[in-house]
Amino acid sequence: IHAWAGDNPDGLRTGTVTGITYWQTDKLAAAPGTHYFYMDVDDTYLHDTNDQNVQVTVEYFDEGSGKMVLQYDAESAAFKDAPLFTYTDTKTWKTHTFDLTDARFANRTNGADFRLGIEGGGASASTNADLKVASVNVTKTPKNPPEPDNSVGITLGEVPVTNGITANAGDYPEGLQTGELAGKGYWKTNKAAPSPGTLFFYMNVSDEYLFDNQDQNVFVTIEYLDKGNGSIVLQYDALSAAFKDAPLFTYTDTNQWKSYTVKLSDAKFANRANGADFRIGVEG
């Protein structure tokens, strides 16, 4: 990613907080102000796309009260507004992920693919606190990943329907909650369950389908109710570790059933994740 400040680059402020370096906006800079950080993703990684979901993760210093603005080159416009994100003055470093399902990233945002800042989308630099950003990471996942001829899966509910995957709740199975919503059965984590809590769903893929893998890419698709604010944790048995973290995926409280696919290029799946191949949950 190549970055620059705009629209008055001379107003860019830099510094260090708790050993972490940052760029900072300067709303007092001479007109037109230094309200944005432009980000151009290398075209060899992503360019003029319509088949990728894109996640933009921003590491920022949570200081002052305001709203983080992300405007991006989308299929419908060169400066589309992502949902505003509020920072809350905890004076700590935090991360936030914007989930973009219609990114085009054809360099049409003033020569960049997106910009972060304190102006636009209903937010105003006049009332926003200046924004400190330490790092930005972009991840892409296929909207329609290739499916093997004999993919495996499980449909959860009070009585799960298994097709090559078995599941159990952990690490306190008695706390598992089940139900049905909009015709779909589900399993639900239970943070209030007795220690160690019911925070994970363990998934074990049939060894006849995949075991001790070294040469296959694996796509895991999770159907979930997008309710509340949080991050889906996926930890899997990888070549390097029995509980490797996949990138966190943020849900955003639309109260709709959605699906998310993550690509695992180093899955081992040798049943080393407490007897399973991976686990999904709200911790880790």
Side-chain angles (χ1 to χ4, degrees):
I1 298 178
H2 173 61
W4 64 92
D7 289 322
N8 179 1
D10 296 333
L12 175 65
R13 299 161 65 185
T14 64
T16 303
V17 174
T18 64
I20 298 176
T21 59
Y22 62 81
W23 280 13
Q24 181 176 319
T25 60
D26 185 359
K27 60 184 185 177
L28 300 180
T34 308
H35 298 154
Y36 306 103
F37 308 131
Y38 286 88
M39 302 283 162
D40 185 34
V41 176
D42 193 306
D43 289 352
T44 61
Y45 179 72
L46 199 64
H47 180 70
D48 205 7
T49 184
N50 61 9
D51 61 356
Q52 299 285 326
N53 291 317
V54 176
Q55 295 82 42
V56 177
T57 299
V58 183
E59 184 181 18
Y60 69 99
F61 193 63
D62 186 37
E63 181 179 46
S65 297
K67 297 183 185 298
M68 187 187 304
V69 176
L70 186 145
Q71 297 173 314
Y72 65 103
D73 182 2
E75 294 173 10
S76 58
F79 287 86
K80 182 174 179 180
D81 297 311
L84 292 171
F85 174 72
T86 302
Y87 38 104
T88 55
D89 202 28
T90 64
K91 293 182 171 57
T92 59
W93 287 103
K94 292 188 174 183
T95 61
H96 175 67
T97 298
F98 294 93
D99 184 38
L100 312 179
T101 59
D102 61 345
R104 181 175 175 184
F105 280 22
N107 310 329
R108 300 183 303 160
T109 308
N110 285 352
D113 292 312
F114 61 94
R115 67 182 183 183
L116 298 162
I118 55 173
E119 176 80 20
S124 172
S126 64
T127 56
N128 251 357
D130 274 310
L131 174 66
K132 292 181 174 72
V133 172
S135 66
V136 178
N137 286 280
V138 170
T139 304
K140 62 182 180 181
T141 54
K143 290 182 180 178
N144 298 297
E147 293 188 4
D149 293 338
N150 57 338
S151 62
V152 294
I154 185 168
T155 301
L156 299 173
E158 185 175 356
V159 180
V161 179
T162 64
N163 178 29
I165 295 179
T166 56
N168 64 279
D171 290 321
Y172 184 78
E174 293 83 356
L176 175 65
Q177 299 178 4
T178 65
E180 183 175 306
L181 186 64
K184 294 181 181 292
Y186 62 80
W187 281 13
K188 183 180 179 181
T189 58
N190 184 0
K191 297 191 294 184
S195 181
T198 309
L199 306 179
F200 303 102
F201 308 137
Y202 286 88
M203 303 286 165
N204 190 36
V205 175
S206 169
D207 289 353
E208 287 74 21
Y209 178 75
L210 193 67
F211 179 74
D212 203 11
N213 172 60
Q214 296 187 30
D215 58 0
Q216 298 288 321
N217 288 321
V218 175
F219 293 87
V220 178
T221 299
I222 303 164
E223 187 178 18
Y224 66 99
L225 183 66
D226 185 38
K227 185 176 182 180
N229 293 286
S231 297
I232 295 176
V233 176
L234 190 148
Q235 297 173 315
Y236 64 103
D237 182 5
L239 296 175
S240 59
F243 287 91
K244 182 174 179 181
D245 297 310
L248 292 172
F249 175 74
T250 301
Y251 41 103
T252 55
D253 203 26
T254 64
N255 209 33
Q256 298 176 342
W257 285 104
K258 293 188 173 183
S259 64
Y260 165 65
T261 298
V262 60
K263 178 183 178 181
L264 309 178
S265 59
D266 61 346
K268 182 177 175 73
F269 281 22
N271 309 330
R272 300 183 302 163
N274 287 350
D277 292 311
F278 62 95
R279 66 182 183 183
I280 303 162
V282 295
E283 175 82 16

